[in-house]
Amino acid sequence: MTTELDPLIHVPTRLKIVATLAALPDGDALSFTRLQDMLALTPGNLIIQLRKLEDAGYISSTKTRNGSARKTTVALTGQGRAALRDYTQALRDLLGGLDTGATSPDNTVDEISAGNTKPKRGPRPRPGRNHPDPADPAPPERPGLLPGPAR
Amino acid sequence: MDHIPGTARDGFDPGQAAALLDQATRRARRQFTPLSPLLFTYRAVVALVVFGGFWLSVRGQHPYTGHISGWAIAVAVVLAAINIGWTAWGIGRAGTGVSGPAQRKWQAWTGIMTAAWIIGYAVTAPLYHAGVSHPVWGLYPASAPLLMIGLAGAAVAAAFRYWPLAGTALGIAVAAAAAGFGGPAGSWLITGIGLCAVCLGIATFTAWRQRRSMVRP
């Protein structure tokens, strides 16, 4: 039984990114601009999160140039899809198949993303060794990994 | 102190993660779906109103002439125009910023089906011009174009592995084939009811597929 929550995905913003990209058919990519619009994130925040996912091999990014216009697209890799599958299975295991309100949450996506959450009752997961990304600090800027946003 | 996976410091526990995963997935599915459940529901209403209107305007004809009244045609044109505009908007919105093989396949499907609809109904013009008999003229427009479009759409959708659309197209073909047995006037009504049922079916299926949970089995 998988009970480890992937700390790389178990951060609200990155979970939303991975879930959004996973809704596309395998092999399709999404422009940085569309992703940013869908998630209502600032370009800087999105780049930071995408870099982490790209470092782990969960997403791939491609930069194309058409005349003066630059376009950056991102796609979930096979490894990223597998990681999301494992993460989802771990959630199921942790929640123990009980009705936890996962499909009718007390908090909306935006509230959770913004940190405006309230504690929920329900089965507490077992103590484990898998720590989430502590406070999810932003890494220093590194050039060359994910191209900057282009519209 | 023991650390609980996925909880504690950032207040993001597994229950919230499951809720976020489900909601983000549903939101993404909705935004990437070109033909929404609401659009299919609208099409169901359009089918019933348009074909029902045609039926109302021809059902009292003795002898049968196949002449459809101007108001029914006007309503059909307006509702069809709204449908075309809504569909184009939905496809454009869903495909914005999306690239890749699946997106190209969808564009090919859209092109093929647009051509099928145009060709399917365009062939009624030569028949009308040739002065076919009224019973033929009564039956043909109500069932034959939809039969051809449905069968072609089912074949192409199956080739593309769009199984829900293949089922929908096959349902349209079945409704059109059944309409052929309804007589010149009744064929319009049977087509309308059949198309309405098919559209409501795919609307329900699409809504279910968009809403199904990632976490809950």
Side-chain angles (χ1 to χ4, degrees):
Chain A
M1 188 171 81
T2 308
T3 53
E4 302 284 323
L5 286 177
D6 186 341
L8 206 67
I9 297 180
H10 191 62
V11 173
T13 305
R14 291 202 287 270
L15 180 56
K16 287 201 314 184
I17 292 171
V18 172
T20 300
L21 293 176
L24 285 172
D26 200 4
D28 273 10
L30 191 62
S31 72
F32 182 95
T33 312
R34 176 86 191 273
L35 184 60
Q36 187 197 332
D37 287 345
M38 288 177 73
L39 302 179
L41 293 172
T42 63
N45 190 8
L46 183 55
I47 287 172
I48 288 167
Q49 306 303 338
L50 288 176
R51 273 199 184 128
K52 290 185 178 183
L53 292 169
E54 191 174 31
D55 283 350
Y58 289 0
I59 66 159
S60 61
S61 65
T62 308
K63 189 176 181 180
T64 54
R65 196 179 190 96
N66 185 11
S68 60
R70 291 182 307 158
K71 186 181 177 187
T72 303
T73 58
V74 291
L76 203 60
T77 61
Q79 192 182 340
R81 284 188 188 274
L84 181 62
R85 263 197 310 274
D86 291 344
Y87 179 83
T88 306
Q89 185 57 51
L91 278 181
R92 284 193 201 110
D93 293 342
L94 282 169
L95 297 171
L98 297 176
D99 185 5
T100 59
T103 53
S104 55
D106 295 338
N107 305 113
T108 65
V109 170
D110 296 328
E111 285 170 343
I112 295 169
S113 302
N116 302 330
T117 58
K118 54 187 175 186
K120 291 173 136 186
R121 287 185 301 169
R124 289 180 67 79
R126 293 176 303 167
R129 300 173 302 283
N130 189 20
H131 293 245
D133 202 353
D136 191 31
E141 292 286 326
R142 284 175 298 162
L145 269 176
L146 189 82
R151 290 176 188 272
Chain B
M1 193 176 81
D2 281 335
H3 175 66
I4 299 168
T7 61
R9 282 171 286 213
D10 57 359
F12 188 47
D13 68 35
Q16 290 173 325
L20 181 61
L21 176 59
D22 271 344
Q23 291 193 29
T25 300
R26 285 172 185 152
R27 184 178 286 182
R29 284 176 186 153
R30 276 198 306 272
Q31 296 199 25
F32 290 139
T33 300
L35 308 176
S36 67
L38 197 57
L39 175 59
F40 280 120
T41 306
Y42 172 76
R43 287 177 175 182
V45 174
V46 168
L48 210 54
V49 170
V50 169
F51 287 92
F54 288 176
W55 172 70
L56 282 175
S57 70
V58 300
R59 68 176 176 149
Q61 294 176 358
H62 300 290
Y64 183 81
T65 63
H67 175 73
I68 296 169
S69 58
W71 65 265
I73 292 174
V75 168
V77 167
V78 170
L79 294 180
I82 293 171
N83 175 48
I84 291 169
W86 190 347
T87 303
W89 175 81
I91 290 173
R93 183 207 57 153
T96 300
V98 181
S99 56
Q103 183 65 15
R104 285 192 293 275
K105 201 166 81 169
W106 174 255
Q107 287 166 349
W109 156 264
T110 306
I112 290 169
M113 289 315 296
T114 303
W117 278 97
I118 292 171
I119 292 168
Y121 278 98
V123 293
T124 58
L127 278 177
Y128 184 75
H129 186 70
V132 293
S133 64
H134 286 146
V136 172
W137 179 241
L139 278 172
Y140 188 89
S143 60
L146 288 173
L147 187 61
M148 291 189 292
I149 292 163
L151 290 176
V156 176
F160 283 9
R161 296 177 183 277
Y162 292 157
W163 301 119
L165 286 178
T168 303
L170 206 57
I172 290 172
V174 168
F181 294 97
S187 60
W188 290 112
L189 184 62
I190 294 174
T191 300
I193 293 171
L195 285 185
C196 179
V198 169
C199 288
L200 287 179
I202 188 68
T204 306
F205 176 79
T206 307
W208 168 80
R209 204 163 59 163
Q210 283 182 352
R211 287 199 54 79
R212 76 180 192 275
S213 171
M214 288 280 286
V215 180
R216 185 175 288 182

